[in-house]
Amino acid sequence: MISENNRTLGHVVLFKDITQRRQSELALAHKAAELARSNAELEQFAFVASHDLQEPLRKIRAFGDRLKMKCETALSGDGTDYLDRMQNAAARMQTLINDLLTFSRVISRTEAFAPVDLNTVTREVLSDLEVRVEKSEAKVEVGELPVIQGDAMQMRQLMQNLIGNALKFHPPGAKPVVQIRSRTLDASPGVEPTCEITIQDNGIGFDEQYLEKIFAVFQRLHGRQEYEGTGVGLAVCRRITDRHKGSITAQSKPGAGATFVVTLPLAQKLT
Ligand SMILES: Nc1ncnc2c1ncn2[C@@H]1O[C@H](COP(=O)(O)OP(=O)(O)O)[C@@H](O)[C@H]1O
Ligand SMILES: [Mg+2]
């Protein structure tokens, strides 16, 4: 403290109790560690479940086939029907497990980032989907796409899932029109140059109140009788965009088509 004529009268010492702040910092760090551990456990579970469940399932299917082949005459009509249903359920489980394994591999089996030409990727994906495109008489328009730094295999999975969905979710008999476009987003200071890729269709669409749900594993909004699938595709897509420090979302209205919007940095920071 200083008096009016500049003489030091004494000192004021300020104490600030930081115990509480320190405690909340510690608690936060503890929570973060807990979360990391439970994520790692979940990751491990997804992998082990999908991997180790395959073997017993393979046996169920193999012996089911054998039962059908060798003992069919001994089975009644009902017996054959039950066996068929069991085999169908087992086949479905195999598909679910395979998809879960694909989901788990987005993190466990990765390739280093390298330049990926999304024009080439899309061309290849469309060639894989050729039969479906022809059968549904779909029209697919592809604009100029960028070259980005990424995992080529995962970029392919991403486009495959999104274009596959755009071709799939249509009223029976309707001709899908799918537009794939890209633009570079305005660079702002401190933000990596990013591209925005949109996959737009004219299909059945969905209610946006369920937007977050469709990116979760095994979540579907439409019946399996009408549209085959396991509900893993978009969860895989989100994992892939997360790993590339990008994002994925969608705009839609029931009956008015859907537009999926992916953003991806053009370059990746070395970590
Ligand atoms: N283009 C689309 N139009 C309408 N609904 C869609 C579209 N893409 C995805 N969906 C909805 O999101 C759900 C999850 O998609 P996805 O994870 O790819 O699973 P799947 O294709 O196996 O059903 C779909 O079952 C569907 O209900
Ligand atoms: Mg899908």
mmCIF file of all heavy atoms in Angstrom, residues 125 129 132 159-169:
data_model
loop_
_atom_site.group_PDB
_atom_site.id
_atom_site.type_symbol
_atom_site.label_atom_id
_atom_site.label_comp_id
_atom_site.label_asym_id
_atom_site.label_seq_id
_atom_site.Cartn_x
_atom_site.Cartn_y
_atom_site.Cartn_z
ATOM 1 N N VAL A 125 -15.709 -47.089 -57.620
ATOM 2 C CA VAL A 125 -16.902 -47.460 -56.848
ATOM 3 C C VAL A 125 -18.096 -47.632 -57.791
ATOM 4 O O VAL A 125 -18.852 -48.599 -57.679
ATOM 5 C CB VAL A 125 -17.200 -46.375 -55.780
ATOM 6 C CG1 VAL A 125 -18.597 -46.542 -55.209
ATOM 7 C CG2 VAL A 125 -16.161 -46.420 -54.665
ATOM 8 N N LEU A 129 -20.563 -50.798 -58.599
ATOM 9 C CA LEU A 129 -22.022 -50.718 -58.424
ATOM 10 C C LEU A 129 -22.774 -50.786 -59.766
ATOM 11 O O LEU A 129 -23.989 -50.584 -59.803
ATOM 12 C CB LEU A 129 -22.390 -49.412 -57.704
ATOM 13 C CG LEU A 129 -21.942 -49.272 -56.249
ATOM 14 C CD1 LEU A 129 -22.131 -47.854 -55.760
ATOM 15 C CD2 LEU A 129 -22.698 -50.249 -55.349
ATOM 16 N N ARG A 132 -26.114 -52.594 -60.097
ATOM 17 C CA ARG A 132 -27.217 -51.930 -59.411
ATOM 18 C C ARG A 132 -27.672 -50.676 -60.171
ATOM 19 O O ARG A 132 -28.857 -50.381 -60.258
ATOM 20 C CB ARG A 132 -26.795 -51.559 -57.982
ATOM 21 C CG ARG A 132 -28.006 -51.368 -57.099
ATOM 22 C CD ARG A 132 -27.681 -50.807 -55.752
ATOM 23 N NE ARG A 132 -26.941 -51.722 -54.912
ATOM 24 C CZ ARG A 132 -26.602 -51.406 -53.651
ATOM 25 N NH1 ARG A 132 -26.912 -50.223 -53.154
ATOM 26 N NH2 ARG A 132 -25.926 -52.250 -52.922
ATOM 27 N N MET A 159 -17.175 -43.605 -50.084
ATOM 28 C CA MET A 159 -17.960 -43.327 -51.288
ATOM 29 C C MET A 159 -18.895 -44.496 -51.610
ATOM 30 O O MET A 159 -20.031 -44.293 -52.017
ATOM 31 C CB MET A 159 -17.035 -43.029 -52.486
ATOM 32 C CG MET A 159 -16.214 -41.757 -52.355
ATOM 33 S SD MET A 159 -17.177 -40.296 -51.914
ATOM 34 C CE MET A 159 -17.801 -39.802 -53.497
ATOM 35 N N GLN A 160 -18.396 -45.695 -51.400
ATOM 36 C CA GLN A 160 -19.197 -46.901 -51.669
ATOM 37 C C GLN A 160 -20.481 -46.901 -50.827
ATOM 38 O O GLN A 160 -21.577 -47.135 -51.327
ATOM 39 C CB GLN A 160 -18.351 -48.130 -51.335
ATOM 40 C CG GLN A 160 -19.091 -49.455 -51.350
ATOM 41 C CD GLN A 160 -18.939 -50.167 -52.680
ATOM 42 O OE1 GLN A 160 -17.923 -50.012 -53.347
ATOM 43 N NE2 GLN A 160 -19.938 -50.926 -53.062
ATOM 44 N N ASN A 161 -20.327 -46.603 -49.533
ATOM 45 C CA ASN A 161 -21.490 -46.595 -48.648
ATOM 46 C C ASN A 161 -22.473 -45.499 -49.024
ATOM 47 O O ASN A 161 -23.692 -45.721 -49.066
ATOM 48 C CB ASN A 161 -21.049 -46.383 -47.189
ATOM 49 C CG ASN A 161 -20.522 -47.653 -46.558
ATOM 50 O OD1 ASN A 161 -21.022 -48.740 -46.834
ATOM 51 N ND2 ASN A 161 -19.512 -47.526 -45.716
ATOM 52 N N LEU A 162 -21.948 -44.295 -49.298
ATOM 53 C CA LEU A 162 -22.844 -43.165 -49.561
ATOM 54 C C LEU A 162 -23.546 -43.300 -50.915
ATOM 55 O O LEU A 162 -24.745 -43.053 -51.021
ATOM 56 C CB LEU A 162 -22.067 -41.841 -49.478
ATOM 57 C CG LEU A 162 -21.561 -41.519 -48.066
ATOM 58 C CD1 LEU A 162 -20.705 -40.264 -48.080
ATOM 59 C CD2 LEU A 162 -22.729 -41.358 -47.091
ATOM 60 N N ILE A 163 -22.799 -43.709 -51.945
ATOM 61 C CA ILE A 163 -23.422 -43.862 -53.260
ATOM 62 C C ILE A 163 -24.371 -45.072 -53.230
ATOM 63 O O ILE A 163 -25.468 -45.035 -53.782
ATOM 64 C CB ILE A 163 -22.361 -43.998 -54.379
ATOM 65 C CG1 ILE A 163 -21.459 -42.751 -54.400
ATOM 66 C CG2 ILE A 163 -23.028 -44.188 -55.736
ATOM 67 C CD1 ILE A 163 -20.269 -42.850 -55.338
ATOM 68 N N GLY A 164 -23.935 -46.124 -52.531
ATOM 69 C CA GLY A 164 -24.793 -47.318 -52.381
ATOM 70 C C GLY A 164 -26.129 -46.951 -51.748
ATOM 71 O O GLY A 164 -27.191 -47.350 -52.234
ATOM 72 N N ASN A 165 -26.099 -46.159 -50.685
ATOM 73 C CA ASN A 165 -27.344 -45.724 -50.036
ATOM 74 C C ASN A 165 -28.182 -44.867 -50.981
ATOM 75 O O ASN A 165 -29.400 -45.014 -51.057
ATOM 76 C CB ASN A 165 -27.033 -44.887 -48.785
ATOM 77 C CG ASN A 165 -26.640 -45.743 -47.596
ATOM 78 O OD1 ASN A 165 -26.801 -46.964 -47.612
ATOM 79 N ND2 ASN A 165 -26.110 -45.107 -46.565
ATOM 80 N N ALA A 166 -27.510 -43.946 -51.693
ATOM 81 C CA ALA A 166 -28.231 -43.038 -52.599
ATOM 82 C C ALA A 166 -28.966 -43.826 -53.683
ATOM 83 O O ALA A 166 -30.041 -43.437 -54.124
ATOM 84 C CB ALA A 166 -27.265 -42.034 -53.216
ATOM 85 N N LEU A 167 -28.381 -44.959 -54.080
ATOM 86 C CA LEU A 167 -29.031 -45.790 -55.104
ATOM 87 C C LEU A 167 -30.116 -46.678 -54.500
ATOM 88 O O LEU A 167 -31.061 -47.066 -55.172
ATOM 89 C CB LEU A 167 -27.994 -46.684 -55.794
ATOM 90 C CG LEU A 167 -26.953 -45.998 -56.670
ATOM 91 C CD1 LEU A 167 -25.869 -46.993 -57.067
ATOM 92 C CD2 LEU A 167 -27.611 -45.403 -57.914
ATOM 93 N N LYS A 168 -29.940 -46.988 -53.213
ATOM 94 C CA LYS A 168 -30.825 -47.970 -52.573
ATOM 95 C C LYS A 168 -32.160 -47.403 -52.080
ATOM 96 O O LYS A 168 -33.198 -48.024 -52.300
ATOM 97 C CB LYS A 168 -30.065 -48.609 -51.398
ATOM 98 C CG LYS A 168 -30.917 -49.556 -50.553
ATOM 99 C CD LYS A 168 -30.084 -50.454 -49.655
ATOM 100 C CE LYS A 168 -29.282 -49.735 -48.603
ATOM 101 N NZ LYS A 168 -28.716 -50.666 -47.599
ATOM 102 N N PHE A 169 -32.117 -46.259 -51.402
ATOM 103 C CA PHE A 169 -33.327 -45.797 -50.710
ATOM 104 C C PHE A 169 -34.266 -45.030 -51.634
ATOM 105 O O PHE A 169 -34.361 -43.804 -51.586
ATOM 106 C CB PHE A 169 -32.948 -44.996 -49.465
ATOM 107 C CG PHE A 169 -32.317 -45.874 -48.420
ATOM 108 C CD1 PHE A 169 -30.949 -45.847 -48.195
ATOM 109 C CD2 PHE A 169 -33.092 -46.763 -47.696
ATOM 110 C CE1 PHE A 169 -30.367 -46.686 -47.251
ATOM 111 C CE2 PHE A 169 -32.525 -47.610 -46.751
ATOM 112 C CZ PHE A 169 -31.149 -47.565 -46.530
#
